[in-house]
Amino acid sequence: MGTYLNPGKQSYEIAVNSEIFVDKTEMIQYLNSVVNTQQRFLSVSRPRRFGKTMAADMISAYYCREADSRELFSKRKIAETTPVKTVSGEIPWDGYLGKFDVIRLVMTDFMDDCDSVQDMLNYLTEEVVEELRDAFPDVNFESRITLRNVLNKIYGKTGRQFVIVIDEWDAVFRTWKKDTEGQKKYLDYLRNLLKDRPYIALAYMTGILPIKKYGRHSALNMFDEYSMMNPMQLAPYTGFITEETLELTRRYGRDFVSIKDWYDGYNVSDIVPPDPDHSSQKETGKAPEAKRYDLYCPLSVVNAVRTGKIQNYWNKTETYEALAEYIRMDYDGLKESVALLMNGGKLHVDTSGYQNDMTTFTCRDDVLSLLVHLGYLGYDDETSEVFIPNKEILDEFRTSTRSSEWIDTFESFRISQELLKATWNKDSEKVAELIEKAHNKADNKTYNDEAALSYAIRFAYYAAQKYYTILPEADTGKGYADLILLPSSEYSDKPALVIELKYNKDADGAVKQIKRKDYPDRLEHYKGNILLVGINYDKEIPASDPNYKHHSCIIADA
C-alpha cells in the first residue's frame, strides 16, 4: 500500500471506530451502478464539515484491491442492501469490493510547498508516478512521463483499471483565485487524465465548489454534478438526515427540537430525470415523485450531542470574515437582500450565471449562489429561492454584520418593515411619513418622473418580499397598476395590496384611478382582503408650508 496508490482502509477504520459513526455505506451501491458506464464521473460538492473526506476514505477503502476490507464492510449497511440492477445484470453489495487499484489524491497535499499551479501539477505527477513505478516494475515507463501515459501503459500491459478519488479538488480555485491561466492548466490536466480513458472504472471528485464554468458550460463536461442545489441520487448521503440525527439525540439524551432548530434547514431532493422504464411510471403514466430530505450539519450535530452544548460550532472551522467578505459586495442591493434573509425571508435567485468560482461575480445572484455552496444559505429547488437555514448560520450572519457599514442597511430595512405594518393597519399618515423617511435616506433625493417614483416605492417596500410576490406594472385588463403585492401561500392571511402612484397630482386621485380600472376584479381570489393604496409625490410643495411633506397617501378597502 502507498500514500496515493492503494492507500488502504486505515483512514476509514478510524472513522468507523470513533465514538459517533453514522453509516453511509449504502451510497456505494449507487456508485457500483455507474462503474464502467458513461456516468462513472462524479463531482460531489458540499460545504466544509459535511463529511466529504470521510466519504472519500470510504470509497477508497471499498474499491482498493490491497485493503482487505470484506470484514469491515460486511458489518455495514451496504451488506444488507439488495443487488443493484444494471443493463448487464445484478451487482451484489460486494460485487466490486477490492476489485480496483485506487489512486487517492488530496489536492491540498500538493499545494503547500508549491508557488504555482504548474509546479503543483509537476509535483503531483512525480509523487504518483514514483509509486506506480514501484507497484508495476514490469511496465516500461521510459517514454515521455505523464500520469496519463503511465496509467495507459499499465492498463495496456495488465488490463487493470483504476478508481480515482480526488478530495479538495477545488482547492486550486480557492487558493489561486485570480490565476485564470493556472486554473485552465489544472482543468486541462484533469480532462486529459480522465476523459475517455479506458483505465478509468470510476472517478469521484469532491470539494466545496461545483466544476468551474466558462459561460454556461462546464469545463469538465464528462462529470455528473451532485451539489447542495441538486444532490440527485446522493441526497441522503450529503449530510445527516432526520432519522440519523434523531437516533443520536435519543442515544445521548439530547433535545432533538433544539438541535433541529440549530443545525437543520438544508432541504434537498433526490429528484432525477424521470425514467420511462420505472415500474411506477409504467403503471400510472406519471413519473415517480422525488423524495425529500432534511439535512443537518454533521460536525455540529456530533459536537452538540457529545458535549450537550447547543451552540455555534461553525465558527470553530471558519472565521466570520469568510462570510463578511462576500455579503459586503453590494451588487444589486445585496446588503438589503441579506437584511431580508436575516428577517426570515426568502429570495428568488437565478443560479445559471454563476461561474462556480470565488471571484467571477456580476450580480447579487452570483454571490448568493456561492453562499449556497458554502453552506451559508439553503436552496429550495422547487421555487429557486434561498434562505438562512438555521440558528447556527443566522448567528454567523449576525457576527458578520456587526460593523458600522451595516447600520444604514438595517435602519432602511427597519423603516421598510414599519411601512408594511402601517399599510396593513391602513394608517395612511404613517405610510406617508415612512415613505418620506425612506426617500430621505435614498441616494436619489428627487424624482424626475413617475418611473423614478415607482422604483423608489418598490425599494421602500423591500421588506414585503418576505410575505408577497411583488408585481411591478402589473396588467389588470383595463390598464396597469404600478405595483401589486400578492401574498404567498405561507402568508395567505395578509391582504393583497394594489398600489397606484401619482407624480405632482394627489393620492385621492390615485385611489379613484384604481377603482375606475377595476383592479380588484383581476384579483378575484383575494376578494374581501384587498387594500388599495394611493401614493402621490408633490415635488413643488415649499419647505415653508406648515404641512411640508412631499408624499401623501390614502388607503381604502377594495
Side-chain angles (χ1 to χ4, degrees):
M1 289 188 289
T3 303
Y4 313 109
L5 176 65
N6 293 326
K9 61 185 177 183
Q10 183 179 9
S11 294
Y12 186 57
E13 279 184 315
I14 291 172
V16 171
N17 294 334
S18 298
E19 177 186 346
I20 293 179
F21 165 72
V22 173
D23 188 342
K24 296 285 190 178
T25 53
E26 290 166 302
M27 167 183 169
I28 295 172
Q29 277 294 64
Y30 174 68
L31 301 184
N32 285 343
S33 73
V34 300
V35 166
N36 279 324
T37 71
Q38 295 287 359
Q39 289 72 46
R40 69 190 185 279
F41 301 98
L42 299 91
S43 172
V44 181
S45 55
R46 309 177 190 172
R48 285 192 179 96
R49 58 196 82 65
F50 269 72
K52 295 186 298 296
T53 296
M54 184 185 294
D57 290 338
M58 175 185 74
I59 293 165
S60 298
Y62 177 86
Y63 289 109
C64 177
R65 69 170 69 249
E66 296 182 12
D68 189 21
S69 295
R70 176 167 292 276
E71 183 179 358
L72 178 62
F73 284 95
S74 65
K75 299 176 182 178
R76 310 274 79 82
K77 287 182 178 179
I78 186 176
E80 301 170 8
T81 58
T82 56
V84 174
K85 294 181 180 180
T86 68
V87 176
S88 56
E90 292 187 344
I91 304 172
W93 75 268
D94 57 352
Y96 291 123
L97 179 67
K99 289 296 197 301
F100 300 107
D101 292 294
V102 172
I103 295 178
R104 168 87 158 88
L105 306 173
V106 182
M107 299 313 298
T108 49
D109 289 350
F110 303 101
M111 296 169 58
D112 292 343
D113 300 319
C114 296
D115 297 324
S116 68
V117 175
Q118 188 60 61
D119 189 21
M120 181 269 290
L121 294 175
N122 292 341
Y123 178 35
L124 183 157
T125 300
E126 291 167 7
E127 289 289 297
V128 178
V129 167
E130 183 179 346
E131 289 195 7
L132 290 168
R133 282 183 187 275
D134 292 340
F136 298 93
D138 296 335
V139 179
N140 179 10
F141 293 168
E142 295 310 313
S143 62
R144 184 178 181 185
I145 302 298
T146 66
L147 186 52
R148 178 191 63 192
N149 288 344
V150 168
L151 294 177
N152 254 331
K153 289 194 172 188
I154 292 171
Y155 177 70
K157 180 85 172 179
T158 67
R160 284 162 63 164
Q161 287 183 296
F162 293 83
V163 169
I164 310 290
V165 180
I166 303 176
D167 196 3
E168 300 280 5
W169 93 270
D170 58 333
V172 166
F173 299 93
R174 292 185 276 113
T175 301
W176 289 298
K177 295 181 182 180
K178 297 183 179 179
D179 184 4
T180 304
E181 288 306 309
Q183 293 171 7
K184 287 182 178 179
K185 285 182 181 179
Y186 175 58
L187 292 169
D188 287 342
Y189 184 94
L190 293 177
R191 187 185 304 106
N192 292 334
L193 174 65
L194 302 172
K195 189 171 184 178
D196 298 328
R197 304 300 173 194
Y199 54 74
I200 298 293
L202 181 74
Y204 181 95
M205 295 199 317
T206 188
I208 296 172
L209 298 175
I211 293 172
K212 167 69 180 170
K213 289 195 294 189
Y214 291 99
R216 292 185 178 266
H217 303 287
S218 168
L220 298 173
N221 60 7
M222 67 281 199
F223 276 88
D224 287 325
E225 298 203 51
Y226 305 77
S227 70
M228 289 297 284
M229 292 183 181
N230 190 17
M232 299 192 294
Q233 294 95 333
L234 298 186
Y237 315 113
T238 304
F240 286 178
I241 60 176
T242 298
E243 292 81 358
E244 294 161 345
T245 306
L246 187 58
E247 192 279 326
L248 288 173
T249 59
R250 287 171 177 166
R251 188 199 310 176
Y252 283 83
R254 308 303 184 195
D255 179 34
F256 172 72
V257 174
S258 297
I259 284 179
K260 181 177 177 63
D261 287 344
W262 270 83
Y263 312 120
D264 183 22
Y266 305 93
N267 185 266
V268 297
S269 164
D270 67 354
I271 191 167
V272 292
D275 177 5
D277 293 324
H278 193 283
S279 57
S280 173
Q281 185 156 333
K282 282 185 173 180
E283 292 171 9
T284 65
K286 296 180 180 179
E289 290 186 8
K291 187 172 182 180
R292 303 200 70 84
Y293 300 89
D294 285 329
L295 296 184
Y296 298 68
C297 177
L299 182 62
S300 298
V301 170
V302 167
N303 284 331
V305 297
R306 286 187 69 244
T307 65
K309 293 182 179 180
I310 298 176
Q311 61 185 35
N312 184 354
Y313 292 100
W314 194 278
N315 56 25
K316 306 297 183 187
T317 54
E318 189 83 89
T319 62
Y320 80 89
E321 287 91 347
L323 174 60
E325 174 187 353
Y326 296 109
I327 60 177
R328 67 163 56 102
M329 296 179 180
D330 200 16
Y331 291 106
D332 303 342
L334 175 60
K335 284 185 175 179
E336 287 74 23
S337 299
V338 169
L340 178 70
L341 293 169
M342 290 177 67
N343 189 51
K346 294 183 176 183
L347 283 171
H348 183 275
V349 296
D350 178 3
T351 63
S352 62
Y354 174 54
Q355 299 298 291
N356 295 345
D357 62 22
M358 305 183 87
T359 56
T360 312
F361 304 114
T362 60
C363 63
R364 177 201 74 168
D365 286 3
D366 289 348
V367 178
L368 296 178
S369 297
L370 170 64
L371 296 183
V372 173
H373 294 298
L374 296 179
Y376 289 113
L377 292 176
Y379 179 74
D380 186 328
D381 60 3
E382 293 180 343
T383 63
S384 298
E385 291 177 316
V386 296
F387 53 90
I388 293 176
N390 53 51
K391 289 183 177 180
E392 184 177 43
I393 300 301
L394 179 59
D395 193 58
E396 286 294 293
F397 272 90
R398 285 172 175 161
T399 301
S400 300
T401 55
R402 285 176 182 164
S403 63
S404 59
E405 68 182 289
W406 286 90
I407 293 175
D408 283 348
T409 299
F410 288 126
E411 175 60 13
S412 295
F413 190 77
R414 185 192 66 76
I415 292 172
S416 183
Q417 289 177 299
E418 280 193 49
L419 173 63
L420 185 59
K421 290 177 183 176
T423 306
W424 289 337
N425 293 331
K426 295 185 278 189
D427 187 344
S428 55
E429 285 295 318
K430 188 70 173 177
V431 168
E433 175 191 330
L434 291 168
I435 290 176
E436 193 85 8
K437 277 187 181 180
H439 172 227
N440 291 337
K441 291 185 71 65
D443 293 332
N444 181 16
K445 298 297 184 185
T446 61
Y447 312 128
N448 295 319
D449 53 30
E450 198 166 304
L453 172 61
S454 176
Y455 177 83
I457 299 302
R458 288 203 305 272
F459 188 79
Y461 275 97
Y462 195 87
Q465 291 180 81
K466 177 178 178 180
Y467 308 94
Y468 291 94
T469 298
I470 300 178
L471 308 175
E473 297 184 352
D475 184 3
T476 63
K478 295 185 180 179
Y480 287 84
D482 290 298
L483 214 57
I484 289 183
L485 282 69
L486 301 180
S488 65
S489 57
E490 195 176 347
Y491 298 100
S492 57
D493 59 313
K494 303 299 182 188
L497 306 179
V498 180
I499 301 175
E500 184 73 35
L501 308 175
K502 290 297 178 185
Y503 183 76
N504 267 352
K505 294 180 183 175
D506 64 82
D508 184 56
V511 170
K512 287 178 180 176
Q513 181 172 321
I514 298 174
K515 292 180 176 179
R516 281 199 306 271
K517 291 181 180 178
D518 264 349
Y519 289 152
D521 289 343
R522 292 282 293 172
L523 304 169
E524 188 71 27
H525 179 69
Y526 304 97
K527 227 168 189 181
N529 196 22
I530 302 173
L531 293 180
L532 311 180
V533 183
I535 297 171
N536 180 60
Y537 175 74
D538 189 342
K539 182 181 179 182
E540 306 302 330
I541 188 168
S544 57
D545 191 308
N547 298 316
Y548 173 73
K549 190 169 57 179
H550 286 294
H551 298 85
S552 57
C553 173
I554 289 181
I555 302 174
D557 291 308

